[in-house]
Amino acid sequence: MSEAAKKPALTPLDDALATLLAQIQPLAERETLPTSAARGRVLAADLISPVDVPPADNSAMDGYALRAADAAAALPVTQRIPAGSLPQPLAAGEAARIFTGAQVPAGADTVVMQEHAEFADGRVRLTQPVVPGQHVRLRGEDVRAGAVVLAAGTRLDAIALGLAATAGAAELTVTRRPRVALFSTGDELVMPGEPLPPGAIYNSNRFTLRALVEGLGCEVIDLGIVPDKLDATRAALREAAARADLILTSGGVSVGEEDHLRPAVQTEGRLDLWAIAIKPGKPFAHGRVGAAHFIGLPGNPVSSLVTFLLLVRPVLLKLQGATRLAPRACRIAAGFDWPRPDKRREFLRVRLDEDGGLALFGNQSSGVLTSAFWADGLLDNPAGQAFAKGDAVRFLPFSELLS
Ligand SMILES: Nc1nc2c(c(=O)[nH]1)N[C@H]1C(S)=C(S)[C@@H](COP(=O)(O)OP(=O)(O)OC[C@H]3O[C@@H](n4cnc5c(N)ncnc54)[C@H](O)[C@@H]3O)O[C@H]1N2
Ligand code: MOO
Ligand SMILES: [Mg+2]
């Protein structure tokens, strides 16, 4: 067989992702957690608010509540309403002293901030014209009772948890954590904390991948480092398949004789996909071992990171029933020329630069993890497409991908 004939056809990224996601059925099991423990999880049922938020009209300022129609007169101040207290109705021709967050009394329709009023002898006089309704936050303007506050399939970030709490939810029903068995392959790998013998490197993928998996609300089953041996790789796959929903590995997935993952998966299960037309991250593998999904990421640290973000992140989200799998992207000006594009769709490590559009990290090698640490996200450049400084390019922010 000629070298050319041995070359695998590279699958386009979008096709690979579609194939991968088509195999994923969301997990059916759910659990109920305290709201404070649900960060990073996916809501399994619509959350409906039993209350209006805010529950009553309330003041946005420290000042005076009154009827806008009375604004011209010096009004007697007939009550004082701190936040948390219950006001008396306000009669025509009266004003109430009021504080931010306090309930606006029935009868009042407007709040004047104290800086725009003068108080003397029990009466308040306004020093500025009023706009009727000003500084009153209306009952239900944030959330209406009976409305869906958070839909099933929502990922619970800090803001979503706050919104759930604002509707009074002490507990949330979420999809159970997917179990992800993680192992790194490579005889050269040594764990941080151990001495570094000649020829060895520290295992960084294990830390990056573990943090990414946990950040997506999943449980990690850490199977450590597996040697570059076919038998050891097969044994690790069998153990992982018995314990996990997804087996995630890094390294040993390329074409060298020391890359045992592909043959091991072919023997223990089946391989559905291998090699994607992206840079970095070409040698990406997907298949099944027993009932578990298998995903093999390339060993180079940036390749492993990028393939995780583009392909594994949506899988872990879909397993949990999340409705939004794709990260939001935007088009933004490139701050540099890119005259010699790759034949593969390329994901460049770039940083947001207020003055000049996206800036490029100098060394784009897939072994240089510093490039990703420095960057704010990935510039997604189509295969074979050159661009010049000032051209609009597609930007995938890490704020989307790493959340
Ligand atoms: N003849 C060819 N060689 C290679 C090809 C190719 O198409 N033909 N593809 C290259 C590309 S692209 C990549 S990416 C790598 C992927 O290789 P593997 O997935 O088999 O990974 P390894 O060979 O095991 O390691 C690659 C590289 O990454 C380092 N590594 C591995 N694991 C870790 C870890 N846990 N932490 C830190 N660094 C790790 C490893 O030491 C190697 O330097 O293959 C190319 N070769
Ligand atoms: O895909 Mo490799 O990830 O180009 O270095
Ligand atoms: Mg290799």
Side-chain angles (χ1 to χ4, degrees):
M1 200 193 289
S2 73
E3 279 304 310
K6 270 194 268 173
K7 273 196 183 162
L10 302 182
T11 308
L13 175 64
D14 293 340
D15 296 355
L17 184 59
T19 309
L20 196 52
L21 289 176
Q23 306 260 339
I24 304 295
Q25 290 303 320
L27 301 169
E29 303 100 306
R30 306 165 162 201
E31 59 179 320
T32 299
L33 297 175
T35 299
S36 57
R39 183 168 61 92
R41 305 293 292 276
V42 176
L43 199 64
D46 287 351
L47 181 72
I48 293 169
S49 180
V51 293
D52 282 324
V53 183
D57 295 354
N58 73 94
S59 176
M61 294 289 172
D62 299 312
Y64 298 89
L66 45 90
R67 293 169 201 236
D70 294 338
L75 305 172
V77 177
T78 55
Q79 59 177 315
R80 187 174 183 279
I81 317 170
S85 68
L86 201 63
Q88 299 300 314
L90 194 81
E94 289 179 359
R97 181 75 172 117
I98 197 163
F99 299 91
T100 304
Q103 197 169 319
V104 171
D109 57 20
T110 297
V111 168
V112 174
M113 59 199 285
Q114 63 196 48
E115 294 89 329
H116 297 165
E118 282 170 2
F119 179 76
D121 302 326
R123 288 178 174 266
V124 66
R125 198 177 56 78
L126 309 189
T127 58
Q128 302 232 347
V130 298
V131 178
Q134 71 180 28
H135 304 319
V136 176
R137 301 188 290 206
L138 296 175
R139 171 178 180 163
E141 75 173 21
D142 191 354
V143 177
R144 288 228 166 270
V148 174
V149 193
L150 296 171
T154 300
R155 267 202 79 209
L156 298 167
D157 63 9
I159 299 172
L161 293 180
L163 205 51
T166 219
E171 294 182 328
L172 296 171
T173 301
V174 298
T175 308
R176 83 147 160 89
R177 277 177 199 283
R179 287 184 284 270
V180 179
L182 188 64
F183 65 84
S184 337
T185 68
D187 287 344
E188 75 280 30
L189 300 179
V190 162
M191 285 302 284
E194 291 171 13
L196 195 66
I201 59 160
Y202 284 122
N203 184 348
S204 64
N205 290 345
R206 185 169 172 189
F207 290 81
T208 306
L209 294 174
R210 190 178 173 130
L212 288 168
V213 169
E214 286 176 348
L216 286 164
C218 305
E219 182 191 329
V220 169
I221 301 165
D222 194 336
L223 299 180
I225 299 171
V226 172
D228 288 324
K229 299 273 180 304
L230 185 60
D231 286 353
T233 310
R234 288 180 55 181
L237 286 174
R238 283 196 299 272
E239 184 189 349
R243 296 173 61 187
D245 302 299
L246 171 73
I247 307 167
L248 185 64
T249 67
S250 81
V253 81
S254 184
V255 292
E257 287 102 70
E258 299 296 341
D259 295 327
H260 297 294
L261 263 165
R262 278 201 304 152
V265 172
Q266 279 162 334
T267 317
E268 294 298 329
R270 60 165 219 251
L271 193 71
D272 294 332
L273 174 82
W274 185 73
I276 298 184
I278 57 172
K279 184 181 176 183
K282 177 176 62 166
F284 171 95
H286 166 242
R288 286 191 89 101
V289 180
H293 299 280
F294 163 80
I295 293 180
L297 304 181
N300 279 315
V302 181
S303 314
S304 156
L305 170 72
V306 168
T307 47
F308 182 96
L309 297 177
L310 298 177
L311 292 146
V312 184
R313 181 180 180 275
V315 164
L316 294 180
L317 291 176
K318 185 168 181 192
L319 269 177
Q320 295 176 80
T323 37
R324 189 164 78 84
L325 305 181
R328 289 193 182 101
C330 63
R331 294 195 76 78
I332 183 167
F336 59 95
D337 295 327
W338 194 247
R340 283 175 298 281
D342 200 85
K343 286 191 298 236
R344 290 178 267 162
R345 180 171 169 183
E346 199 159 4
F347 291 88
L348 303 170
R349 275 72 72 209
V350 292
R351 187 184 260 192
L352 290 163
D353 176 356
E354 223 173 293
D355 303 322
L358 296 172
L360 180 75
F361 190 80
N363 187 342
Q364 293 284 321
S365 159
S366 62
V368 174
L369 195 53
T370 312
S371 66
F373 178 68
W374 176 90
D376 293 319
L378 302 170
L379 188 166
D380 173 6
N381 192 47
Q385 187 166 305
F387 59 81
K389 184 172 174 169
D391 288 352
V393 291
R394 186 167 191 260
F395 177 62
L396 285 163
F398 279 152
S399 53
E400 277 284 301
L401 291 168
L402 294 175
S403 64

